């Protein structure tokens, strides 16, 4: 109820900016509480016979009422904050002049205009009102020093009540400050949590969760050796020619279609995206958490990537767009994985396994998933593969390679060919279920 009431007096354009909105709520709350206090002090001072103080309090309260509506329409902190400080200054100085000058306990209230200006306007206004408050204190000091009497004749007979209401006002003021502090603290904590969540999400888009946590806790991540990792490399045939046919915007937009799909496929099969280099996409299974099912998962992912590429190629052909043909190479073996360097952290993998996987891709064929002998031995019971024989590989001699032609359903023993996967097989074969087996 109170929150809705405060929000009504805040301009809509201020609500879209979190920090400004919070500051506006505090200004409206404090100003409305101040107006209620002024009406209360009007009655108090009128009863005590301090008519000038009562008049100023009443006038100040009346000035604050239209100020709420002006602020609602304009959202002007400078005007609203300075008028609030002016009202506080005039009221306090008037009361001091009727209750003893430099000897009045109200003298301590001169901090209020400066406090309001610093809190709701800016430093310049805060320092300006601080100067005015100091000048008022100096004036009352000199007046008292030279014997000028500011004490109203009715003040002494109401002295106890006056001190009571001053103490009540001071305690109330402190409570308001504490309440504002608690609001500020809660909002600050909420903002920190939101920003921390954003930072964590951004970090997890760059690094694996285990590596990110290690960096946050220790400030460094130690590279680790993994005995069984399956690396996937993809790239597009004749990419240079395709790039020459498209504008830079079209090229990036269409490349993003593929890479975004590959990101989703990699996540589905528990693979870690490593990086993209030009038109090449690299991911790996079995890191950062080791598992023995990563060869099968990687091949499933490769088949699904080729299925997506085939469907996209057909659509592009219908739309008379450039044709993208995908090559995929897969190899399994040991790697070193981790983060090196101290700037722009990037999770990467190294080792001969990475080099051979890259050779599998370059020695492959468009529309095919090309795997090494090592990977074949790990997945041969689950996939239909055709032996290509020994293929010459740069700096590696000859390596036995296989094209993956389809998948064997482990429940029924039926076979699903790559062409069926590309068309979207409806016979209940599940190529999407990851085969992750975490070692005991």
């Amino acid at each position: 109820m109170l929150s809705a009431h405060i929000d009504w007096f805040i301009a809509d354009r201020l609500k879209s900016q979190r920090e400004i909105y919070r500051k506006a709520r505090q200004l409206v709350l404090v100003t409305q509480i101040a107006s209620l206090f002024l009406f209360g002090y009007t009655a108090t001072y009128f009863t005590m016979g301090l008519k000038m103080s009562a008049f100023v309090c009443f006038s100040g309260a009346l000035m604050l009422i239209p100020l709420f509506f002006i602020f609602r329409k304009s959202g002007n902190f400078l005007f609203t904050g300075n008028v609030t400080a002016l009202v506080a200054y005039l009221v306090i100085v008037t009361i001091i002049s009727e209750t003893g000058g430099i000897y009045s306990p109200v003298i301590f209230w001169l901090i209020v205009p400066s406090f309001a200006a610093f809190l709701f306007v800016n430093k310049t206004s805060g320092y300006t009102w601080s100067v005015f408050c100091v000048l008022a204190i100096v004036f009352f000091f000199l007046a008292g020093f030279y014997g000028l009497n500011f004490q109203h004749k009715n003040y002494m007979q109401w002295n106890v009540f006056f001190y009571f209401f001053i103490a009540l006002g001071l305690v109330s003021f402190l409570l308001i400050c504490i309440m504002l502090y608690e609001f500020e603290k809660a909002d600050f904590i909420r903002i920190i949590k939101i920003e921390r969540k954003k930072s964590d999400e951004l970090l997890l888009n760059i690094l694996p969760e285990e590596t990110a946590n290690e960096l946050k806790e220790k400030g460094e991540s130690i590279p680790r050796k993994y005995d069984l990792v399956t690396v996937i490399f993809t790239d597009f045939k004749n990419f240079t020619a395709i790039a020459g046919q498209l504008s830079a915007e079209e090229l990036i937009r269409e490349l993003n279609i593929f890479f975004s799909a590959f990101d989703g496929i990699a996540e589905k099969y528990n693979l870690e995206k490593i990086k993209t280099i030009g038109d090449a996409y690299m991911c790996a299974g079995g890191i950062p958490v080791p598992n023995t099912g990563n060869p099968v998962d990687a091949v499933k992912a490769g088949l699904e990537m080729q299925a997506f590429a085939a469907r996209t190629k057909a659509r592009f052909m219908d739309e008379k767009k450039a044709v993208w043909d995908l090559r995929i190479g897969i190899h399994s073996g040991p790697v070193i994985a981790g983060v090196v360097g101290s700037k722009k952290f990037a999770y990467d993998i190294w080792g001969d396994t990475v080099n051979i996987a890259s050779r599998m891709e370059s020695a492959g064929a468009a529309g095919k998933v090309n795997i090494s002998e090592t990977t074949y031995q790990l997945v041969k019971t689950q996939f239909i593969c055709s032996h290509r024989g020994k293929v010459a590989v740069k700096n590696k001699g000859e390596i036995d390679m296989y094209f993956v032609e389809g998948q064997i359903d482990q429940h029924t023993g039926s076979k699903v060919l790559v062409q069926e996967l590309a068309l979207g097989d409806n016979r209940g074969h599940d190529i999407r279920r990851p085969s992750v087996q975490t070692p005991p």
Side-chain angles (χ1 to χ4, degrees):
M1 189 74 175
L2 177 61
S3 180
H5 169 74
I6 294 172
D7 278 351
W8 191 87
F9 290 99
I10 299 175
D12 289 337
R13 65 183 180 84
L14 300 181
K15 296 178 183 178
S16 60
Q17 306 172 62
R18 184 169 57 220
E19 182 64 23
I20 300 298
Y21 175 52
R22 179 184 55 78
K23 186 177 177 181
R25 284 176 58 85
Q26 292 179 349
L27 176 58
V28 171
L29 176 63
V30 168
T31 307
Q32 291 192 354
I33 291 175
S35 65
L36 293 176
F37 268 98
L38 288 175
F39 280 122
Y41 278 119
T42 298
T44 301
Y45 292 135
F46 186 80
T47 303
M48 294 172 62
L50 305 177
K51 295 182 179 180
M52 181 60 70
S53 296
F55 173 76
V56 172
C57 286
F58 184 71
S59 301
L62 293 180
M63 287 178 63
L64 291 180
I65 292 175
L67 193 63
F68 304 143
F69 297 93
I70 294 173
F71 181 67
R72 184 179 190 272
K73 185 175 181 179
S74 68
N76 191 325
F77 279 94
L78 184 65
F79 175 78
T80 307
N82 278 319
V83 169
T84 302
L86 174 63
V87 169
Y89 184 81
L90 293 176
V91 168
I92 293 167
V93 168
T94 303
I95 296 172
I96 292 173
S97 66
E98 282 200 305
T99 57
I102 194 65
Y103 302 106
S104 171
V106 185
I107 198 82
F108 298 104
W109 276 88
L110 279 171
I111 194 176
V112 171
S114 302
F115 179 81
F118 274 118
L119 189 60
F120 301 120
V121 188
N122 52 43
K123 290 182 179 180
T124 301
S125 293
Y127 290 131
T128 301
W129 282 108
S130 296
V131 170
F132 279 112
C133 292
V134 169
L135 289 176
I137 292 172
V138 171
F139 169 77
F140 285 119
F141 169 77
L142 293 176
F145 183 79
Y146 288 105
L148 186 60
N149 183 20
F150 284 100
Q151 190 163 292
H152 191 277
K153 61 180 181 179
N154 294 331
Y155 170 66
M156 289 306 297
Q157 71 183 73
W158 293 97
N159 199 19
V160 174
F161 293 99
F162 179 75
Y163 273 95
F164 168 75
F165 285 109
I166 290 299
L168 180 64
L170 182 59
V171 170
S172 300
F173 177 74
L174 291 175
L175 287 175
I176 292 172
C177 291
I178 293 171
M179 184 170 60
L180 285 175
Y181 170 77
E182 290 299 325
F183 284 160
E184 182 94 8
K185 179 181 175 182
D187 195 51
F188 182 69
I189 292 173
R190 183 177 60 82
I191 291 172
I192 287 178
K193 288 180 178 179
I194 292 173
E195 295 303 323
R196 182 172 182 176
K197 183 180 178 182
K198 289 180 181 178
S199 299
D200 288 344
E201 289 174 352
L202 180 62
L203 190 60
L204 291 176
N205 273 330
I206 301 171
L207 302 173
E209 184 176 0
E210 293 76 8
T211 305
N213 290 336
E214 187 177 9
L215 279 172
K216 287 191 292 184
E217 292 171 5
K218 301 178 181 179
E220 63 177 356
S221 177
I222 301 172
R224 291 177 173 81
K225 180 179 179 181
Y226 295 84
D227 294 326
L228 179 59
V229 171
T230 302
V231 181
I232 299 179
F233 268 98
T234 81
D235 86 338
F236 294 96
K237 181 182 177 181
N238 298 327
F239 178 75
T240 303
I242 295 173
Q245 300 175 36
L246 303 174
S247 67
E249 292 78 9
E250 290 173 325
L251 180 67
I252 297 302
R253 183 166 57 250
E254 294 189 7
L255 193 60
N256 186 61
I257 292 173
F258 288 97
F259 285 175
S260 295
F262 294 173
D263 285 345
I265 293 169
E267 184 177 8
K268 182 191 300 182
Y269 290 102
N270 199 36
L271 307 180
E272 188 68 36
K273 178 182 178 180
I274 304 301
K275 57 187 170 186
T276 60
I277 306 173
D279 66 317
Y281 184 96
M282 178 184 177
C283 61
I287 55 172
V289 178
N291 63 75
T292 58
N294 65 81
V296 172
D297 288 337
V299 176
K300 285 183 178 180
L303 289 174
E304 192 163 332
M305 288 176 180
Q306 281 292 13
F308 174 83
R311 292 192 298 270
T312 306
K313 175 182 177 180
R315 179 165 60 85
F316 280 7
M317 291 177 68
D318 290 341
E319 297 172 358
K320 309 300 183 185
K321 291 184 177 180
V323 175
W324 298 65
D325 286 311
L326 182 67
R327 291 186 302 230
I328 295 179
I330 300 176
H331 177 62
S332 304
V335 302
I336 302 295
V339 176
V340 293
S342 58
K343 301 291 183 182
K344 294 185 178 180
F345 294 124
Y347 188 75
D348 209 344
I349 56 177
W350 304 269
D352 201 42
T353 298
V354 179
N355 299 329
I356 294 176
S358 177
R359 299 291 185 265
M360 290 298 106
E361 175 271 311
S362 59
K368 295 288 188 178
V369 176
N370 189 38
I371 66 174
S372 66
E373 171 72 24
T374 304
T375 302
Y376 170 74
Q377 292 299 331
L378 295 168
V379 304
K380 61 185 180 181
T381 61
Q382 298 195 40
F383 297 94
I384 308 164
C385 300
S386 60
H387 186 214
R388 301 179 60 196
K390 293 184 179 296
V391 179
V393 173
K394 182 180 179 181
N395 299 327
K396 296 296 177 183
E398 293 185 337
I399 299 177
D400 281 295
M401 299 185 190
Y402 297 78
F403 282 145
V404 181
E405 306 292 356
Q407 182 177 351
I408 302 171
D409 191 300
Q410 297 301 296
H411 301 288
T412 65
S414 60
K415 299 178 180 179
V416 186
L417 299 179
V418 170
Q419 293 86 345
E420 294 174 318
L421 297 176
L423 294 173
D425 183 50
N426 294 317
R427 294 181 299 174
H429 300 290
D430 183 8
I431 71 163
R432 299 172 300 169
R433 184 174 60 252
S435 302
V436 175
Q437 302 169 20
T438 304

